[in-house]
Amino acid sequence: MSNKPTIPYADLYAQYLSIKSDIDAAIEEVIKSSAFIRGPFVERFEKEFANAVGARHCVSCANGTDALYIAMTGLGLAPGDEVITSAHSWIATSETITQAGGRVIFCDTDRDTFTIDCARLESLVTPRTVGIIPVHLAGQPADMDAVMAVAAKHKLWVIEDCAQAHLAQYKGRQVGTFGVAATFSFYPGKNLGAMGDAGAIVTDDAGLARRMAIFARHGGLTKGEHEIEGINSRLDGLQAAILSVKLRHLHSWTQARRRLASEYSERLQRIDGVQVPVIAADREHVFHLYMIKHERRDDLAGHLARSGVQTSINYPVALPFLPAYRRFGHRPEEFPNAFANQSRIVSLPMFAEMTAAQVQGVVQAIASFPG
Ligand SMILES: Cc1ncc(COP(=O)(O)O)c(C=O)c1O
């Protein structure tokens, strides 16, 4: 490590300081009313978040992983049902398919946008396929027209994994409003992040919303009345109150991320060997991750670490190649784009409070990489 000041990958404390008095007041209000589990703060946030996404219902839960599990359970996934999802995502997207009783079918990702490769999608549909989970990875929407066309043709449901894509848009329409349901994570580092774990599902389908809420709350909405066996996956009052405060800033934070991303791209595209993020037509990317590609990624990441720049790799091993999926015996040739990308991608520091000097510092560090 050099003695240069570190440019952090994210700075959650800077975000807290920028809204400290509102956060502190919100926490105090919850403590004063002891509304720790569900209660008015959770109900208010559910309404606010449904409105922000443009969906009729929001079912909050403990995290974005449970959100996927609850959504698939609510849709009645049955043993042996096949669900197609992105080969390059966080393991939550695929592990929950198995947990809900389904079989994971991986689809390669697009080489440039890292979202599900719609040119291959339909070839994976079998008589056992019931649904598709596109992931709006890094904050860039998947090609939802193409996903929805395959889904409509084969009568499949679509759950959008929006964990990294709060407020992202496809053809002027917000992600989370295309599929029958969409799942969100409010993990602290997400574009809308709690101060602990939190998640939600949105849907326009009232029946599905009810089934999901019941399942997430021990199988019943009223204590002592359990219609089914469920799980305990609740958003707590403190997180809900914090999320309500932060939601008011989400639009301006998103704009800030987009501005920082343009500054990065304008400068980095002049540096040999760096491939800046490619934004497909009609997509509004919200840059949860600012992910570049480089042929010598590991050397570059090492150089950046020595220069005091924190980076992250999202994700270094695509899902089919993880030991967790060894049982499928997948080969690199089946997922050529995900396989090629996994060793080339690196995510640079990206957070709304990032200063111009910090962007400049990252760019200079990359420019000084002996290429
Ligand atoms: C694409 C994706 N899906 C699902 C999740 C799961 O969310 P959580 O960490 O809140 O369980 C994440 C979060 O890391 C994610 O990035």
Side-chain angles (χ1 to χ4, degrees):
M1 207 39 156
S2 79
N3 47 18
K4 283 184 198 163
T6 294
I7 301 176
Y9 180 64
D11 191 343
L12 298 181
Y13 190 58
Q15 185 192 65
Y16 167 65
L17 290 181
S18 73
I19 50 171
K20 184 176 182 309
S21 55
D22 286 349
I23 293 281
D24 291 354
I27 291 173
E28 197 180 343
E29 213 187 331
V30 177
I31 295 173
K32 270 190 192 151
S33 60
S34 301
F36 294 119
I37 301 293
R38 287 214 59 88
F41 300 99
V42 173
E43 277 161 27
R44 181 181 69 188
F45 176 70
E46 286 178 334
K47 286 199 186 86
E48 290 170 350
F49 192 67
N51 268 340
V53 177
R56 291 212 180 95
H57 309 278
C58 168
V59 176
S60 61
C61 60
N63 54 63
T65 307
D66 280 3
L68 286 156
Y69 176 57
I70 293 164
M72 277 183 270
T73 305
L75 286 167
L77 201 69
D81 284 352
E82 293 179 359
V83 178
I84 305 172
T85 195
S86 234
H88 211 168
S89 181
W90 178 237
I91 192 168
T93 316
S94 53
E95 68 187 353
T96 48
I97 296 172
T98 312
Q99 283 155 15
R103 182 178 156 82
V104 184
I105 306 294
F106 290 117
C107 179
D108 201 11
T109 42
D110 179 71
R111 197 185 47 160
D112 293 326
T113 63
F114 312 112
T115 57
I116 199 160
D117 183 355
C118 292
R120 292 168 204 258
L121 184 56
E122 192 168 11
S123 69
L124 298 167
V125 175
T126 76
R128 308 218 60 168
T129 310
V130 296
I132 308 171
I133 307 184
V135 183
H136 305 307
L137 200 78
Q140 167 144 227
D143 184 352
M144 290 312 295
D145 277 355
V147 171
M148 296 312 291
V150 173
K153 184 168 165 195
H154 297 278
K155 299 191 168 44
L156 311 175
W157 50 249
V158 172
I159 298 173
E160 295 171 73
D161 184 340
C162 300
Q164 303 189 3
H166 314 71
L167 302 189
Q169 293 189 7
Y170 176 86
K171 296 195 172 169
R173 180 170 157 191
Q174 267 204 66
V175 301
T177 61
F178 291 86
V180 64
T183 61
F184 287 84
S185 165
F186 307 119
Y187 179 82
K190 294 289 195 267
N191 289 20
L192 177 62
M195 291 185 166
D197 272 316
I201 312 122
V202 298
T203 182
D204 280 346
D205 180 331
L208 176 61
R210 186 168 188 280
R211 287 196 301 282
M212 295 191 297
I214 285 175
F215 182 67
R217 289 154 64 181
H218 289 298
L221 299 181
T222 311
K223 206 171 177 181
E225 291 173 23
H226 307 279
E227 299 175 30
I228 55 167
E229 287 180 326
I231 59 170
N232 175 8
S233 183
R234 299 183 287 223
L235 176 66
D236 68 68
L238 284 169
Q239 300 308 338
I242 289 164
L243 286 166
S244 284
V245 172
K246 291 196 180 188
L247 184 57
R248 303 203 286 268
H249 301 274
L250 184 58
H251 185 70
S252 65
W253 289 341
T254 304
Q255 293 307 108
R257 283 177 181 271
R258 288 165 54 79
R259 265 197 313 277
L260 291 161
S262 326
E263 278 173 42
Y264 261 145
S265 292
E266 201 192 307
R267 295 177 200 187
L268 291 175
Q269 69 199 359
R270 298 191 212 126
I271 301 175
D272 272 355
V274 175
Q275 189 193 311
V276 300
V278 175
I279 308 174
D282 297 320
R283 323 261 175 116
E284 203 163 301
H285 194 319
V286 293
F287 292 98
H288 171 57
L289 308 173
Y290 183 87
M291 195 148 64
I292 60 167
K293 287 206 262 185
H294 198 283
E295 290 296 321
R296 290 173 55 213
R297 189 272 315 277
D298 290 341
D299 293 338
L300 174 64
H303 168 79
L304 291 175
R306 286 188 297 279
S307 311
V309 175
Q310 264 182 1
T311 59
S312 165
I313 295 170
N314 310 88
Y315 299 94
V317 182
L319 297 170
F321 313 126
L322 288 170
Y325 295 107
R326 196 170 284 143
R327 65 185 185 279
F328 294 153
H330 283 311
R331 287 164 291 111
E333 313 84 83
E334 295 172 75
F335 309 97
N337 296 333
F339 185 72
N341 284 338
Q342 69 180 13
S343 57
R344 290 174 173 80
I345 49 172
V346 56
S347 305
L348 303 181
M350 169 56 74
F351 48 98
E353 299 73 21
M354 212 176 160
T355 64
Q358 286 174 315
V359 172
Q360 182 62 15
V362 177
V363 172
Q364 271 166 1
I366 294 174
S368 69
F369 175 57

